[in-house]
Amino acid sequence: MDGFYANYGPGPGSLKFGYPNFRLPSQKFTPGVDCDLKYAYFLIRKVAAPTSNIYARLYSDSGGSPNINLAASNTIAGSSLSPTNYQWSRFTFSPAYTLSAGTPYWITLNGATVNSTNYYSIRIDENACFHQDGHYAMYYGGGIWNLVLNLTSPGTTPHLHFRVVCISDTGSQLFDMVTSGDQFFKGILSLETSLDTSPFRSGQNTCLEEITTLMELGTSNQRLILADVNPDLVLRFYEQPDPTIPTAFLDRSGHFFTREGKPLAACFPPVGQWASMIGTNRYVMPFDRARAPSCFIQSVKWYCDTNVLKIK
C-alpha cells in the first residue's frame, strides 16, 4: 500500500537555503492513495549561527512548479541544528492535511529569514533516486522557481533527501486491503475507527495477515474490530460491542440464553458477543462487574462425541 514517500539517496549534493536568492528548497511527489500528510523530514544542517525558525510547507502544483501554500508545519529553532553533520529533522503537520490520490504536491522547507552569513544547507541527491518518474527538486530565487542544478550530472534534475509520512484511518485501510486482495466478496462495509496509522507496507505479510493485525489493533475506543459475511457475500467490519452491555447469558449448566431469556441452539453460539452469568431463575447474578465481569466469546468448538460446547 501507499502512504510513505522518501528518498535516502545515496547520491551526493547539497543546496543552501535561507540565503539570498536561495529559498524554499522543494520536492515534488504524488500520493498513490487518499491519505493525510502528518510528518515531513529533511536532512539539514546550519551554516554559521542562524537564529531564525524553520518549518515545512505543503504547496499545490501548477505547471510543474509550486503554486499555492496549502499547509504549514510546526517550527524548529535553526540554532538547534548541527553546524557539521546533516541530521534528519522532523516537521509535524497538525492537523494532518488531506492529500488526494494522483494529485502532485510539493513539500518545501522554509528558512523564514534570509542571511548571507547565517543560513542553512540541505542534502540533495544528484543521482535522483526518488522512485517517482518526472519528479524533481526546485528552489525559489530571483522572484521565480528554479530547477536545482546538478553538478555531477549536468542536464539532469536532482531530488531532495526527504521523507513524507502520511496517515489514514485504519478502517479505510481495511477497505483498501480487502479490495486489493481481489476476493470473492460482492460488497465491503468498513467503519471509521478514529485511529490513524500509516498505510505504507513494505514487508512480506499476506493481505490476511495485515488485515488481522489491524483488526487486533482495534479502534480508538480500545475495542477489537470484528468481521462477518452475510449470505449475499457482503463482508462487514464492525466494532466489538460494549462490554458493559452483555447480549448473551450463560447458566450454571453451560446453556446460553438471549437477553429475552430464549435458549440459544448449540449451532448458533454467541461468537463476537459479550456473555454474563445468570442464576437458575434466569436473572443476572447479583455481583458487581469487577468480581463477575462479562466475557467476550471469541470462538467456540462443538464436540459431537461428547455433546459439549467449549468456549474460548
Side-chain angles (χ1 to χ4, degrees):
M1 294 181 68
D2 230 314
F4 178 73
Y5 313 93
N7 178 33
Y8 295 93
S14 64
L15 177 73
K16 54 191 174 184
F17 71 99
Y19 186 90
N21 288 328
F22 286 90
R23 300 178 56 209
L24 304 176
S26 306
Q27 174 66 47
K28 185 179 180 181
F29 73 99
T30 301
V33 295
D34 292 343
C35 54
D36 297 333
L37 169 63
K38 184 63 176 179
Y39 303 111
Y41 296 76
F42 298 96
L43 201 54
I44 54 179
R45 70 177 181 90
K46 66 181 179 181
V47 177
T51 58
S52 64
N53 291 333
I54 54 178
Y55 57 95
R57 283 178 174 176
L58 179 72
Y59 281 84
S60 64
D61 175 81
S62 178
S65 298
N67 184 29
I68 299 174
N69 179 21
L70 302 175
S73 75
N74 68 313
T75 62
I76 66 172
S79 59
S80 66
L81 299 176
S82 169
T84 55
N85 299 318
Y86 287 94
Q87 299 174 328
W88 285 107
S89 297
R90 186 181 76 178
F91 300 86
T92 303
F93 289 81
S94 183
Y97 186 86
T98 300
L99 306 176
S100 299
T103 300
Y105 297 93
W106 291 85
I107 192 68
T108 297
L109 197 55
N110 190 357
T113 62
V114 174
N115 190 288
S116 60
T117 302
N118 304 297
Y119 54 94
Y120 307 96
S121 181
I122 183 171
R123 278 292 311 276
I124 64 173
D125 170 23
E126 294 183 347
N127 290 348
C129 296
F130 185 40
H131 68 276
Q132 291 187 343
D133 294 335
H135 292 61
Y136 43 85
M138 302 189 80
Y139 69 94
Y140 191 77
I144 60 173
W145 288 98
N146 305 273
L147 290 173
V148 176
L149 295 179
N150 195 326
L151 299 181
T152 58
S153 300
T156 62
T157 52
H159 298 153
L160 299 185
H161 286 258
F162 77 101
R163 296 188 302 215
V164 169
V165 180
C166 298
I167 58 175
S168 65
D169 190 272
T170 55
S172 65
Q173 293 182 42
L174 285 170
F175 181 91
D176 292 339
M177 287 179 182
V178 176
T179 301
S180 62
D182 194 24
Q183 297 299 305
F184 55 83
F185 302 113
K186 294 183 178 179
I188 305 168
L189 300 175
S190 193
L191 74 165
E192 183 176 342
T193 66
S194 297
L195 193 64
D196 294 322
T197 65
S198 175
F200 177 75
R201 300 293 186 277
S202 62
Q204 301 299 317
N205 289 345
T206 66
C207 186
L208 179 59
E209 289 170 336
E210 292 290 353
I211 288 172
T212 301
T213 298
L214 287 182
M215 292 177 67
E216 292 174 347
L217 183 62
T219 70
S220 62
N221 293 328
Q222 298 184 351
R223 300 183 196 171
L224 298 173
I225 298 173
L226 308 180
D228 59 24
V229 180
N230 69 16
D232 295 322
L233 299 182
V234 175
L235 171 65
R236 176 178 68 114
F237 292 104
Y238 63 99
E239 187 180 53
Q240 184 183 41
D242 187 342
T244 65
I245 308 176
T247 54
F249 300 90
L250 183 69
D251 67 10
R252 296 178 183 273
S253 301
H255 299 120
F256 279 107
F257 295 84
T258 66
R259 184 180 297 173
E260 292 76 23
K262 297 180 180 180
L264 282 171
C267 56
F268 291 103
V271 176
Q273 300 182 46
W274 290 92
S276 182
M277 290 292 294
I278 56 176
T280 55
N281 56 3
R282 301 291 183 265
Y283 286 104
V284 177
M285 300 291 280
F287 301 126
D288 61 55
R289 293 191 181 116
R291 286 177 290 179
S294 298
C295 296
F296 183 68
I297 309 301
Q298 180 177 344
S299 63
V300 299
K301 289 185 178 180
W302 176 258
Y303 295 86
C304 297
D305 54 341
T306 57
N307 200 35
V308 172
L309 182 69
K310 291 191 176 181
I311 303 165
K312 183 178 179 181

